[in-house]
Amino acid sequence: GQQVQQSPASLVLQEGENAELQCNFSSTATRLQWFYQHPGGRLVSLFYNPSGTKHTGRLTSTTVTNERRSSLHISSSQTTDSGTYFCAIHTGYQNFYFGKGTSLTVIP
Amino acid sequence: NSKVIQTPRYLVKGQGQKAKMRCIPEKGHPVVFWYQQNKNNEFKFLINFQNQEVLQQIDMTEKRFSAECPSNSPCSLEIQSSEAGDSALYLCASSLDRDAEQFFGPGTRLTVL
């Protein structure tokens, strides 16, 4: 079954607005990563975050492992934030399960 | 930022042809992963290595796909006889450990005509 579910599937924001992306997973995760995928394809690791809250710049990731959920908050969005954001979990069997992503479009 | 290198960036093959792509992991990363991402943003794990040894691979990889990570050479993923359904973005990632943070290359976009 679906190991990782992301919501919303797509999101359109006005520049300057905040975004909240959700990730829910069905198995116990020993590791969770948030990625940004450039339109050209490269996946950039944003957070490696087994549990708790982490910040980098305008991004905040909060993971509550025992509730099997994580969120990615983008504050003061910019047009360069446009792209697809993926959540992926590792379940301890060397498999890494990805969600289907949230496509973010930030318009000026 | 990731220093994983993948070549070529684009690959176009006819059905039945071989398709080979390469990956140079980040220096010092002994673990390498290959994933397939289709046009619906579905990722599929294919195979992973620790140094030159296969850790895990899926059934699809065992049949038409072959992969290796020889010492002092790029890792490679080869599809022996390409099918239309193999058209996808093939992503290579490397990490310090099988459970550690993974860093991805830019991918090889394969189109099978």
Side-chain angles (χ1 to χ4, degrees):
Chain A
Q2 187 79 19
Q3 299 277 355
V4 181
Q5 293 179 320
Q6 289 187 245
S7 61
S10 62
L11 188 59
V12 180
L13 297 176
Q14 201 77 37
E15 197 169 25
E17 291 183 322
N18 298 332
E20 187 88 8
L21 283 56
Q22 302 292 338
C23 174
N24 293 279
F25 40 97
S26 58
S27 300
T28 302
T30 59
R31 181 182 75 211
L32 183 145
Q33 253 180 285
W34 279 99
F35 294 94
Y36 166 73
Q37 188 167 39
H38 287 272
R42 181 181 281 273
L43 276 171
V44 176
S45 178
L46 299 175
F47 293 100
Y48 168 65
N49 187 8
S51 64
T53 298
K54 292 189 176 180
H55 304 274
T56 180
R58 295 180 293 105
L59 304 179
T60 301
S61 168
T62 300
T63 299
V64 184
T65 307
N66 61 359
E67 295 183 11
R68 298 181 179 175
R69 60 178 175 87
S70 181
S71 64
L72 178 68
H73 183 85
I74 305 172
S75 62
S76 303
S77 61
Q78 300 175 1
T79 56
T80 51
D81 295 330
S82 296
T84 307
Y85 293 79
F86 290 97
C87 168
I89 64 164
H90 185 264
T91 61
Y93 293 99
Q94 300 179 47
N95 276 343
F96 205 36
Y97 295 98
F98 284 82
K100 296 187 77 171
T102 293
S103 175
L104 175 65
T105 303
V106 181
I107 54 178
Chain B
N1 281 334
S2 171
K3 296 177 178 62
V4 176
I5 298 170
Q6 286 189 252
T7 57
R9 292 295 310 276
Y10 301 92
L11 196 53
V12 180
K13 294 292 179 181
Q15 294 196 48
Q17 291 186 319
K18 286 187 183 180
K20 188 169 185 175
M21 54 205 84
R22 292 175 176 82
C23 170
I24 300 175
E26 285 206 22
K27 194 172 183 180
H29 284 189
V31 183
V32 173
F33 302 80
W34 285 98
Y35 297 91
Q36 178 196 64
Q37 182 186 12
N38 68 20
K39 62 181 180 180
N40 297 320
N41 275 345
E42 294 164 335
F43 288 77
K44 183 180 289 184
F45 165 83
L46 298 177
I47 191 168
N48 62 350
F49 293 84
Q50 182 149 357
N51 297 314
Q52 293 82 52
E53 183 181 330
V54 175
L55 294 173
Q56 189 179 16
Q57 61 184 349
I58 65 165
D59 285 347
M60 181 178 76
T61 310
E62 290 169 1
K63 290 173 183 171
R64 292 186 301 110
F65 289 56
S66 62
E68 60 177 3
C69 270
S71 64
N72 300 318
S73 292
C75 297
S76 64
L77 176 69
E78 184 170 33
I79 306 172
Q80 302 302 321
S81 178
S82 302
E83 299 175 357
D86 297 330
S87 295
L89 182 67
Y90 289 84
L91 291 159
C92 174
S94 71
S95 66
L96 285 169
D97 183 87
R98 62 183 73 182
D99 295 326
E101 185 175 6
Q102 294 186 21
F103 297 90
F104 282 77
T108 293
R109 190 168 296 280
L110 172 65
T111 302
V112 182
L113 302 174

